[in-house]
Amino acid sequence: MAMTLDTPVDTTQPLARPSAPRWRRWMRPALGLLLPLTAAIAWELVVGAGWSDGRLVPPPSKIIFTIDELARSGELLRHIIATLARVGAGFGLGVAAGTILGAISGYWGLARRLLDPTIQALRAIPSIAWVPLFILWLGIFELSKVALIAVGVFFPVYLGVMGAILSVDRKIVEVGRTFRLSGPAMIRRILLPAVLPAYVVSLRVGLGLGWMFVVAAEFMGASEGLGYLLIDGQQLGKPAQILAAIVIFAILGKTTDWLIELAAKPFLRWQDAFAPGRGEP
Amino acid sequence: MLVLDRVGKTYLNGVNALERFSVEIGLGQIVAVIGGSGCGKSTLLRAIAGLDRASHGAITLDGETIAAPHPKVGIIFQEPRLLPWLSVADNIGFGLSDVPSAERRARIAAALAKVGLADKAKAWPRELSGGQAQRVSIARALVMRPEVLLLDEPFSALDAFTRRDLQDHLLDLWSETRPTLVLVTHDVDEAVVLADRVLVMRPRPGRLFERIDVNLARPRDRNSPLFETTKRRVLTALDRSLDRDAPDPAAGVETGDALWW
Ligand SMILES: Nc1ncnc2c1ncn2[C@@H]1O[C@H](COP(=O)(O)OP(=O)(O)OP(=O)(O)O)[C@@H](O)[C@H]1O
Ligand SMILES: [Mg+2]
């Protein structure tokens, strides 16, 4: 019986299987690079030909040269480490607080009615508005910077965790109930795995905000860090240094995001979601 | 013995989903519950499963009152409700976490073989067809060796061939350990193929309308004249249950009471 139903589907298969996907997989990112690369090369040529002095918009070679110079002097590493440490600490704190409070609000209705209105009200405040207060409370050094980043990371994680718990399918929770799972077992065996995909997304959003807020934090007076390189470049009129810092921000942001994705992957193999390009292993 | 004594359920929104439902079901019996949409069949099953509390009356299994999910009562829902993050084998073994791992593995393997999915042990639920997924959910319930197995329209989402196949399968599995089966269905054919007794319900409020005993030898021949006759009787009862003016034969003397309420 299964055979008779399957056969007509199989006959359509040969039509849809050319060898295209392999090179298309490389084509797609290459296509995305086409525009920026063309622009970069064009600008390089324009400056090289002397049509522009490239003082305010330095050509790519100058940016690469600046990065290389900073790297050689060991300064770049110092700035990267300073920024990474701030993002790491702020992200860690924000994630911890967001996860714990989000889980409490999602799990207990009473806690949600008690906590959530306040947290939502705080969320409506633009986080940068806290800066003066944080500086007064925590001083102008590391503590206030880490606090600002943590605040930025906290809200998406809190919302993500709470929303994920609230939207766990009742039908699947009932399966747990029919097998008479205890409270902790229900959390470990049903809620945690059900919440994980949304949690990973909220971590990635939180990390993105962490990178955004580290720049704001380093603008408020830092002696090292990539944000300091930006300010320094502006004050001393070194656009190449600004662009170099921006490029490194982009690389670090993308890499850390990819690390989260990579770490979560083994736990999410079961997902049956729309994910283009996941077809081939 | 599963005993329902004047079970009633009024939801918080005031809907009287079930009223004075009484029945006694002996161990190993197969009972089909049939009736129009919204007449409280799922409500009844959820109360027996202990997922919802009945607002009136009592449900007892071998003298023990059921107020919460009971280890001897299993349920199979209309949808397979497999846990998407567990492999097929782990889904089947979900309720066996207290069993030593060697025995657990043996029981899972046996259950998989019984439902004909031995080759799918490592597959993810998303890789199964609808019928295969429902078979896994049957295996997940049976591996617990329940005394009472409740089924809420378990095959209604499947095509006619697969449904028939799974009905036969269910009977095979039932004949091994002979648990009590309570099966909700919309399909008169299914009720008569499987059940020893058919309970016809009527809506607003949901209550028992008629009981029909099916005295056919197993395995049943769907084309025999007796099968046809029984089917017609169930159909007639079903028709009358949806007719507002028809009196309640099963309620009998209680009708006067009901009017008083
Ligand atoms: N959680 C609920 N809250 C309020 N009313 C409900 C709830 N669940 C069901 N009802 C109501 O109770 C009545 C019986 O519902 P039930 O789901 O038991 O019907 P059913 O016989 O299973 O119907 P179907 O054959 O369509 O599945 C319906 O009128 C329905 O609207
Ligand atoms: Mg129903």
Side-chain angles (χ1 to χ4, degrees):
Chain A
M1 168 202 65
M3 291 303 292
T4 55
L5 289 177
D6 283 345
T7 323
V9 178
D10 284 338
T11 55
T12 65
Q13 294 256 323
L15 287 176
R17 289 257 171 255
S19 61
R22 183 166 289 261
W23 63 266
R24 199 184 290 159
R25 213 161 79 200
W26 295 105
M27 260 320 272
R28 211 170 287 169
L31 218 58
L33 283 176
L34 195 63
L35 191 64
L37 276 185
T38 314
I41 291 169
W43 188 242
E44 190 71 54
L45 291 177
V46 167
V47 175
W51 293 332
S52 164
D53 62 0
R55 207 171 53 80
L56 284 178
V57 186
S61 59
K62 185 113 186 282
I63 299 170
I64 292 168
F65 177 75
T66 310
I67 293 177
D68 184 55
E69 204 178 37
L70 284 168
R72 270 170 214 274
S73 66
E75 231 181 305
L76 185 64
L77 194 65
R78 188 166 62 90
H79 292 305
I80 288 179
I81 288 174
T83 298
L84 269 180
R86 285 170 189 143
V87 173
F91 182 70
L93 281 176
V95 165
T99 306
I100 292 169
L101 288 180
I104 291 174
S105 287
Y107 199 70
W108 285 293
L110 179 65
R112 178 164 61 255
R113 280 185 284 279
L114 214 65
L115 269 176
D116 195 50
T118 310
I119 293 181
Q120 298 298 344
L122 290 176
R123 190 168 77 94
I125 302 169
S127 303
I128 308 287
W130 292 108
V131 167
L133 209 54
F134 282 167
I135 291 179
L136 277 184
W137 285 347
L138 305 168
I140 54 162
F141 298 111
E142 293 308 311
L143 227 45
S144 57
K145 295 183 176 57
V146 170
L148 178 65
I149 298 166
V151 166
V153 174
F154 170 80
F155 288 108
V157 174
Y158 169 82
L159 278 184
V161 171
M162 183 179 73
I165 292 178
L166 287 177
S167 60
V168 170
D169 193 354
R170 174 188 59 82
K171 293 178 170 176
I172 270 180
V173 175
E174 270 178 11
V175 171
R177 286 184 57 207
T178 59
F179 285 101
R180 305 186 314 128
L181 295 187
S182 63
M186 184 74 99
I187 291 175
R188 187 171 55 82
R189 301 184 63 192
I190 304 269
L191 292 182
L192 275 185
V195 156
L196 196 60
Y199 186 53
V200 172
V201 171
S202 73
L203 287 185
R204 291 174 66 181
V205 174
L207 185 66
L209 282 175
W211 281 109
M212 197 166 116
F213 279 91
V214 78
V215 178
E218 287 176 345
F219 277 178
M220 61 198 211
S223 54
E224 54 184 3
L226 292 169
Y228 163 79
L229 275 187
L230 292 173
I231 291 283
D232 188 58
Q234 179 217 325
Q235 283 168 352
L236 300 184
K238 293 192 280 192
Q241 183 179 318
I242 298 178
L243 284 168
I246 288 176
V247 167
I248 289 165
F249 264 125
I251 294 171
L252 287 180
K254 185 70 197 154
T255 310
T256 46
D257 182 65
W258 175 73
L259 283 178
I260 293 186
E261 204 185 339
L262 204 67
K265 214 169 188 171
F267 301 102
L268 297 178
R269 266 179 310 144
W270 52 270
Q271 261 193 314
D272 186 13
F274 171 66
R278 199 195 48 181
E280 309 101 71
Chain B
M1 172 119 86
L2 179 67
V3 180
L4 279 72
D5 182 23
R6 283 164 293 171
V7 174
K9 172 80 188 179
T10 309
Y11 281 107
L12 288 178
N13 60 4
V15 173
N16 206 356
L18 198 63
E19 200 173 84
R20 292 176 155 262
F21 194 104
S22 298
V23 69
E24 293 186 358
I25 304 172
L27 180 62
Q29 266 200 359
I30 305 183
V31 171
V33 180
I34 199 164
S37 183
C39 68
K41 305 182 295 294
S42 299
T43 305
L44 176 74
L45 229 55
R46 293 176 58 83
I48 302 176
L51 288 172
D52 286 333
R53 290 285 291 269
S55 8
H56 309 282
I59 302 171
T60 52
L61 176 64
D62 303 330
E64 217 181 309
T65 304
I66 292 184
H70 191 280
K72 286 187 195 162
V73 181
I75 184 164
I76 295 169
F77 298 96
Q78 179 169 354
E79 332 77 41
R81 299 199 186 182
L82 303 181
L83 303 176
W85 53 84
L86 294 181
S87 69
V88 165
D90 289 339
N91 260 290
I92 293 177
F94 188 76
L96 297 178
S97 47
D98 298 337
V99 174
S101 69
E103 188 195 338
R104 181 170 65 229
R105 244 173 291 134
R107 274 166 78 171
I108 292 172
L112 268 169
K114 271 189 220 161
V115 293
L117 290 173
D119 55 328
K120 297 278 186 200
K122 291 201 173 73
W124 295 111
R126 67 172 145 88
E127 295 160 351
L128 300 179
S129 72
Q132 290 170 336
Q134 195 56 298
R135 264 158 40 201
V136 173
S137 96
I138 292 174
R140 179 176 65 182
L142 282 173
V143 82
M144 303 298 294
R145 297 176 183 155
E147 199 169 288
V148 176
L149 185 58
L150 311 168
L151 304 100
D152 192 354
E153 301 182 33
F155 310 135
S156 64
L158 306 172
D159 65 280
F161 295 113
T162 315
R163 192 183 312 167
R164 223 174 235 219
D165 192 39
L166 286 191
Q167 285 163 2
D168 294 342
H169 227 96
L170 183 66
L171 277 181
D172 282 348
L173 294 170
W174 168 80
S175 63
E176 281 171 30
T177 52
R178 303 225 164 209
T180 306
L181 296 188
V182 182
L183 168 95
V184 168
T185 177
H186 273 134
D187 182 350
V188 177
D189 223 71
E190 182 168 286
V192 179
V193 167
L194 296 175
D196 299 310
R197 195 159 23 136
V198 180
L199 305 178
V200 182
M201 289 181 69
R202 79 181 312 187
R204 278 172 303 264
R207 59 206 187 276
L208 186 57
F209 180 69
E210 201 169 325
R211 316 158 198 239
I212 297 166
D213 288 321
V214 184
N215 297 311
L216 297 172
R218 297 179 195 278
R220 290 175 181 168
D221 175 7
R222 288 169 213 252
N223 301 315
S224 77
L226 212 56
F227 189 90
E228 281 299 321
T229 323
T230 317
K231 230 173 96 178
R232 203 151 327 116
R233 271 180 63 200
V234 176
L235 270 175
T236 319
L238 200 55
D239 273 344
R240 276 193 296 133
S241 79
L242 297 174
D243 175 3
R244 279 162 188 273
D245 303 325
D248 276 16
V253 269
E254 284 169 16
T255 332
D257 270 348
L259 283 178
W260 185 83
W261 282 93

